[in-house]
């Protein structure tokens, strides 16, 4: 199963980004193969429509869960219709490595 | 004057298929026409005939009024009957809708998460696998609004006797138990000043 985590850098030590649509990087983590992939977000500085465009990017990787700090109003119904689970984690100090460890215990 | 804006219908889950096709068409060379069943009509049919809810319960789940749900439901039945009788194919799409799901919160790691698949019950936190989860109700503001809406007071114009307003009963039909006059809503402008 693949999980997307929004991060503000492209290393395991970078922190969880509190925004979904305009986050710096998407970390695509595969819980079975333990493969990690960092995708730079092309919609980082978009004026509008960053959320739906990011959903499209993430959904094309067959992600089943998304971990982020907050989800915008346009995204919620879109992700509900795509059956992708949203996980809201209001802890900006958490690093990507800590979140991946949480997924495993 | 423009009509009142349309209320969006709440859908819990999209259908697993996108339509039905008829087979064994007796008309040779006849092109199959389609009936477009809206997603809200599919949802009304699912709640009323599959989940066996009554129209009032179904209307609450779809966030519309009971008469509106009955209208959507009758339209759904009419479209399906049309498809069956005339041998048309059914395509489920469209409609003014939004998707919604239930939200939970985890007491262990403090995260919030939703349940995208209504068929499966969530028993543990997807992040830390802790089973200490709570059903989170983001609609608290809405329920508060409802209670304040119904906390109106009926007042007697002649003696000033007050009683809480009963929803569905016009104040003018309430009779003051002290002096027998018809009551009015407190704090609203009325023809008869008091």
């Amino acid at each position: 199963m693949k999980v997307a985590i929004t991060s503000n850098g492209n290393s395991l030590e970078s922190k969880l980004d509190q925004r979904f649509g305009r986050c710096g990087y998407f970390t695509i983590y595969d819980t079975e193969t333990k493969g990690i992939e960092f995708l730079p977000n092309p919609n980082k500085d978009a004026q509008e429509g960053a959320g739906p465009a990011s959903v499209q990017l993430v959904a094309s990787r067959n992600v089943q869960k998304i971990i982020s700090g907050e989800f915008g109003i346009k995204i919620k119904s879109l992700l509900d219709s795509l059956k992708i689970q949203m996980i809201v984690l209001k802890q900006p100090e958490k690093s990507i490595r800590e979140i991946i460890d949480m997924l495993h215990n | 004057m423009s009509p009142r804006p349309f209320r969006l219908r709440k859908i819990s889950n999209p259908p697993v298929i996108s339509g039905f096709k008829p087979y064994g068409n007796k008309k040779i060379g006849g092109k199959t026409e389609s009936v477009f069943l809206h997603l809200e009509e599919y949802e009304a049919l699912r709640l009323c005939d599959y989940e066996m809810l009554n129209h009032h319960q179904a209307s609450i789940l779809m966030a519309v009024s009971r008469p509106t749900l009955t209208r959507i439901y009758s339209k759904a039945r009419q479209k399906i009957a049309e498809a069956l009788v005339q041998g048309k194919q059914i395509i489920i799409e469209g409609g003014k809708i939004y998707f919604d799901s239930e939200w939970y919160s985890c007491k262990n790691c403090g995260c919030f998460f939703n349940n995208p698949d209504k068929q499966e019950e969530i028993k543990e936190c997807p992040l830390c696998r802790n089973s200490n989860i709570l059903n989170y109700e983001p609609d608290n503001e809405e329920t508060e609004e409802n209670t304040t809406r119904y906390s109106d007071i009926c007042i007697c114009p002649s003696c000033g006797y007050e009683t809480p307003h009963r929803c569905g009963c016009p104040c003018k039909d309430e009779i003051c138990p002290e002096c027998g006059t018809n009551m009015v809503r407190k704090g609203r402008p009325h023809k008869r000043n008091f």
Side-chain angles (χ1 to χ4, degrees), chain A residues 43-62:
Chain A
N43 317 302
K44 194 169 185 285
D45 303 310
Q47 284 289 316
E48 57 178 46
S54 301
V55 169
Q56 224 163 32
L57 176 76
V58 173
S60 67
R61 302 272 164 162
N62 290 326

Side-chain angles (χ1 to χ4, degrees), chain B residues 42-62:
Chain B
Y42 157 82
E43 178 77 356
L45 207 71
R46 185 183 75 84
L47 291 172
C48 295
D49 290 338
Y50 181 75
E51 305 260 338
M52 302 297 275
L53 301 176
N54 64 34
H55 286 193
H56 183 243
Q57 292 165 324
S59 70
I60 293 166
L61 287 176
M62 283 182 72

Side-chain angles (χ1 to χ4, degrees), chain B residues 106-191:
Chain B
C106 173
K107 280 187 179 172
N108 187 38
C109 62
C111 70
F112 298 98
F113 54 94
N114 72 337
N115 181 5
D117 197 358
K118 281 274 160 59
Q119 264 74 42
E120 278 176 50
E121 206 185 333
I122 285 196
K123 290 194 181 75
E124 54 179 27
C125 173
L127 204 59
C128 58
R129 304 279 161 84
N130 195 299
S131 57
N132 196 359
I133 56 167
L134 209 73
N135 206 331
Y136 180 68
E137 301 270 338
D139 302 321
N140 284 343
E141 298 160 31
E142 206 174 285
T143 48
E144 239 170 64
E145 195 183 287
N146 283 348
T147 48
T148 49
R149 214 173 82 209
Y150 299 129
S151 67
D152 284 344
I153 289 168
C154 303
I155 188 167
C156 173
S158 53
C159 68
Y161 174 82
E162 285 182 10
T163 178
H165 173 67
R166 282 189 294 151
C167 192
C169 298
C171 301
K172 64 179 170 60
D173 292 349
E174 299 261 359
I175 307 290
C176 173
E178 310 247 320
C179 58
T181 20
N182 291 352
M183 300 175 84
V184 292
R185 188 74 62 91
K186 191 187 180 184
R188 298 280 167 87
H190 285 276
K191 281 177 196 162

